[in-house]
Amino acid sequence: MLLQTARAAPRVLRTAHRHKASSVAALLHRDDAQPLASSARRAASSVAALHDDDEAQKTIAKVVSRYARTQEQLVPWFLEQMPRSYFALVPESSQLAHLQAAAGLFDPARGFDVLDEVRAASADDGTVTYLTSGNAPGTLARQVRTLAGQGELTGLKVFTSRDETLCLNVFNFDTAAPDSCFEAEDALAPHLQYARAKGGEGFWSEAAVRAHADKCSLDYQLGTRPAHWARQRALFERVAGSDAVAARVDASNGSAWLTVVAPNTLPASFLHKVLRLVAAHSLDVKLAEMDTVEDCLILRVLVTGSANWTDVAAVSERLKWLGETALVPLFAKGAPTARDATLLEVRYALETLAQRTLGCSRDRVAKTLRSHGDLADAAAKLLLKRPVGRGDGGDVKELLASVDAVTDEAEKEVLAEVVRHATTCLQTNVGRADRQALALVLDPSTLSDGAEPPARVVFVAGRRFDAFHVSMRPVARGGVRLVTPKTPEALAHAASRHYDECRDLAQAQQLKNKDIPEGGAKAVVLVDATGHGDDAWAGRGRGAFREYLNRKAVSAFADALLDVSLESETLPYLGPDEQVVPQDITRIVANAARRGHPRPEALMSSKPGAGINHKEFGVTSEGVAVFVERALREVGIDARKDAFRVSLVGGPDGDVAGNLLKIMQRDWPSARVVGVADGSGYAEDPEGLDGNELRRLVEASAPIAAFDSKLLGNRGTLRTADDGDGAALRDTMHFRVDADVLVPCGGRPGTIHAGNAREFLKPGDDAAPGAPRAPIIVEGANLFLTPEARQILHKEAGVLVVKDSSANKCGVVCSSYEILAAHLLSRSAFEAQKGVIVAEVLDRLRALASLEADLLFKEYSRFPGALPDFSRRISEAINLVADAVGATASDDQVAALFAELAPEHLPPTLAQLAVAAPEALPAGYARACAGSFVATRLVYGEGITHVEALGSDPARLAAAATTYVGAQRDVSQLQEKVLASSLDEAVKTDVLKLLRPSLS
């Protein structure tokens, strides 16, 4: 009987909404409402008929009777007090569930006068509803937090009864748009009418309104007043397609609507932050609605109370980018202001930066700053005082005196580091309200530890990530690497050496970039994915959460770097490194265009379509193959004719190894691959792995674990990494397999180090080290061997180690050509000529690799030393000359050198374009090109000892280099005269041999 009563309720509610009854009493007198009241009366009569002496039945009777009385009073109250929007927007099944749940809170005598709440879920529409009697500040925020693991929040509706005694918070976790009983035109009609009243043109035109409506659900249009919908549309159009957040507050008569539009954010996480902000201002939430339009979260919250609404809106726009480290103290302050948020953001950045540059634990720095909070705040305020981050002399002296007064030496060291960064910071982006992360340009001279100081260091502190970008020259290029440790311990270790690793990588890149105008640079973005801090990801797996954080981190880092770079004389040039995916590249370039970058396509290399994909065209492998051939020739093997054995670290699905396997089949018909190891496992066979099967894996982009074991020889082995000790055997394959050349094309830096280098040597007589597993190692991967390991293998076994800065340099050279093309050609023009340009680039890469390989082994044969030492000296000599020319040459000299040498150093199409329109290149870039052209001409032509003998004075080096170019020009002219002369042909040949330019 009671179920009949409860089930009748939704029909009455629908009838009330449909007939828009003037009162509940009037509605209940309608014939179609009578079953509800009579059902309740019949239930009560049934209770009275129960047997009096049955105690259990009596108890049940009381419960049923009370429920009947509750429903008899609750239903009319519900009809009268709930807003009409509730009946329009909430499905019938959910209305029934809400009414049944409300009965648990309702007292027939007192109504909803006791603070309590109950949760109701509906499987029909994917909603979870909290019904709360009373609505204390922070209640909604707490409810959002308790929904962790429920799924992806897609919508929110908050309904408050007219007498404010009951609040229904309806959370939608259904990804499908809810059904609506309204037609599209019905939902849109009031918005079109409102737009016509506003003039009907531009923003208010019917076409513009309809275009936006097409992106919105019908329920969103129906449930939003036209004036509010228009305000929300204006905010949406302000931030759509970006990562910025837009907020506004419209206040009147003691209440206010807070509207926030946030693209590309986790709805539950962001909603929770906004509600915590509202609670921190002691505001009561009366209504709230959340919808999504494309990738934008649109949140509307009606609050009562008073606040500085400008601060509420400004802080709302920053919430997306603030992590818990800043949010907890921010909300604890009560009524947080925009300046409070900025100050905490700066303080957190200084804390993180000090920990990174000191290389100590985070706990040590955090504990010190908590103990000296006033001093830490003073440092942050000093950084904010002026745009360049410098306070006046008095402020600095006072702050330094406060640090000196600290008696604990360990604390003093931390505080001094914080103050040093605050007082020497050169530039920040703190003035940009739409910043995605805080960027600080540091004074490089304060970070030198005896090595060559960088030209520029940028530190970026963001939500769940921070990053360094280190440039060794004003014009510099290097990859962006994402580091995502899996455990808190691994994160702490990576953080303690974050700056050192980034600086070391930039310095290594400087050696590798010797053939190109850009100096070395590197960005290391350290992402904290050690916990499910965003509850929407619970149940999806840590891998999905890590992937999400990586995409957000690289985008925010690149945007913050632009904040402090767009107005500078030289712009950064980036490339993809570990964990950076094509999606990141596309987004970074698009954001740069939106931000007004003069040449956004030049910002990032390896672009899909308008770039030269390294894996697709095998650019790095082409250079590696040249060095393999030249090294084999040094030990008497002609790779084009002779049989030889190759061992690879890196799989057939990888860039360098996969393309090297293709080159082997193209150029080295007698080569045998005797071992391959990658992340999936390893395969080894002393007779050689089947070449056709390896090619199948390359074309299928499959790892070595997919190798068909039936094609192994009698002594062949195939093991996967998850097969018992398979991972350990994989990681030591290079210590076990005999080959003529080992080519690491993957693997972690420092895989062979001083502690295990001798394991690469076979056992010799009397337990002494014997011959190496391979007499040649060509480092296709970066830093596979440590410097100490290279030295051990050279000294004890004569292993020829071709260092990574030589062996795999063609990848960075190709990226440089891509950057040059982006300066000279539009995207469409590049794509139209891409086939020709790529072929020319590959030819030029092979030529450059041959030039260095020949010089490297020539110097090695003439002078004592290990190959890695000569590789380093070649790089240093070229960089020294390039820097000297760039620093001392006049603008006229730069222009002349560029025009003369570009055809020799660049692929023909790009050279022709560059010489015809040098003004298309940034001034600093053209100067760097001229220096690079001259330096490579001199070093590859005359060798490193010639340059080293000139000393390090820039003026002397530049004069010698330009004189050399002039002499070479004279030689070329003399050659032409000899060819045109009447000398005997044999004599001409002899003379031309003597006059042959070193670089032709």
Side-chain angles (χ1 to χ4, degrees), residues 731-745:
D731 294 343
T732 56
M733 186 200 73
H734 50 277
F735 291 144
R736 189 172 60 251
V737 172
D738 292 335
D740 295 296
V741 57
L742 167 65
V743 187
C745 302

Side-chain angles (χ1 to χ4, degrees), residues 298-418:
I298 299 184
L299 176 64
R300 296 89 71 200
V301 184
L302 177 64
V303 297
T304 57
S306 60
N308 183 322
W309 301 118
T310 301
D311 277 326
V312 172
V315 176
S316 296
E317 292 184 344
R318 293 299 310 146
L319 289 177
K320 177 179 176 180
W321 311 112
L322 299 179
E324 285 300 305
T325 308
L327 289 175
V328 170
L330 178 67
F331 294 142
K333 296 175 77 70
T337 67
R339 181 170 175 80
D340 291 334
T342 301
L343 192 65
L344 283 167
E345 192 177 359
V346 171
R347 176 170 164 170
Y348 172 74
L350 288 173
E351 175 184 318
T352 306
L353 177 58
Q355 186 260 329
R356 300 296 193 262
T357 53
L358 285 173
C360 62
S361 73
R362 184 61 181 263
D363 287 344
R364 176 189 165 193
V365 177
K367 182 178 179 182
T368 298
L369 295 191
R370 283 196 300 269
S371 300
H372 301 274
D374 291 345
L375 203 156
D377 285 343
K381 289 175 182 176
L382 184 63
L383 186 64
L384 288 173
K385 222 173 185 186
R386 294 176 58 194
V388 294
R390 294 186 186 276
D392 58 51
D395 287 336
V396 174
K397 289 179 181 178
E398 183 178 342
L399 199 54
L400 292 175
S402 298
V403 173
D404 288 338
V406 175
T407 56
D408 185 289
E409 291 300 320
E411 290 184 342
K412 182 182 292 187
E413 181 185 33
V414 170
L415 293 169
E417 192 77 355
V418 169

Side-chain angles (χ1 to χ4, degrees), residues 605-625:
S605 62
S606 296
K607 298 175 291 295
I612 303 176
N613 185 280
H614 289 197
K615 185 175 182 179
E616 179 181 356
F617 297 105
V619 296
T620 304
S621 302
E622 291 288 353
V624 172

Side-chain angles (χ1 to χ4, degrees), residues 200-231:
E201 296 182 0
F203 178 83
W204 302 106
S205 69
E206 180 174 344
V209 174
R210 287 187 178 277
H212 185 66
D214 288 342
K215 304 170 186 175
C216 305
S217 70
L218 296 184
D219 279 354
Y220 170 43
Q221 298 175 57
L222 174 69
T224 310
R225 297 176 185 175
H228 293 187
W229 194 74
R231 289 200 294 261

Side-chain angles (χ1 to χ4, degrees), residues 547-613:
E547 182 71 11
Y548 172 81
L549 289 179
N550 280 347
R551 305 288 71 79
K552 301 295 286 186
V554 72
S555 176
F557 156 74
D559 190 70
L561 185 64
L562 283 179
D563 287 342
V564 293
S565 301
L566 281 176
E567 302 300 324
S568 64
E569 293 183 3
T570 55
L571 295 169
Y573 297 104
L574 307 175
D577 200 343
E578 295 178 7
Q579 299 194 78
V580 173
V581 300
Q583 170 191 339
D584 298 326
I585 300 172
T586 301
R587 190 168 186 177
I588 287 171
V589 172
N591 184 54
R594 184 182 62 82
R595 293 285 307 275
H597 192 293
R599 276 291 184 180
E601 300 284 347
L603 174 63
M604 193 87 177
S605 62
S606 296
K607 298 175 291 295
I612 303 176
N613 185 280

Side-chain angles (χ1 to χ4, degrees), residues 8 27 43 50 73 135 263 312 573 578 682 721 819 986 999:
L27 174 67
L50 290 172
Q73 296 180 42
N135 190 21
V312 172
Y573 297 104
E578 295 178 7
Y682 75 94
I819 289 170
L999 188 63

Side-chain angles (χ1 to χ4, degrees), residues 952-997:
S952 59
D953 178 65
R956 183 182 181 192
L957 278 169
T962 53
T963 299
Y964 178 78
V965 171
Q968 289 289 298
R969 188 186 313 118
D970 294 340
V971 168
S972 296
Q973 292 171 355
L974 188 55
Q975 280 185 314
E976 293 174 3
K977 291 179 179 179
V978 169
L979 288 171
S981 71
S982 58
L983 290 172
D984 181 78
E985 290 301 318
V987 175
K988 284 184 182 181
T989 301
D990 291 339
V991 172
L992 290 174
K993 286 181 181 179
L994 294 173
L995 296 177
R996 185 177 59 191

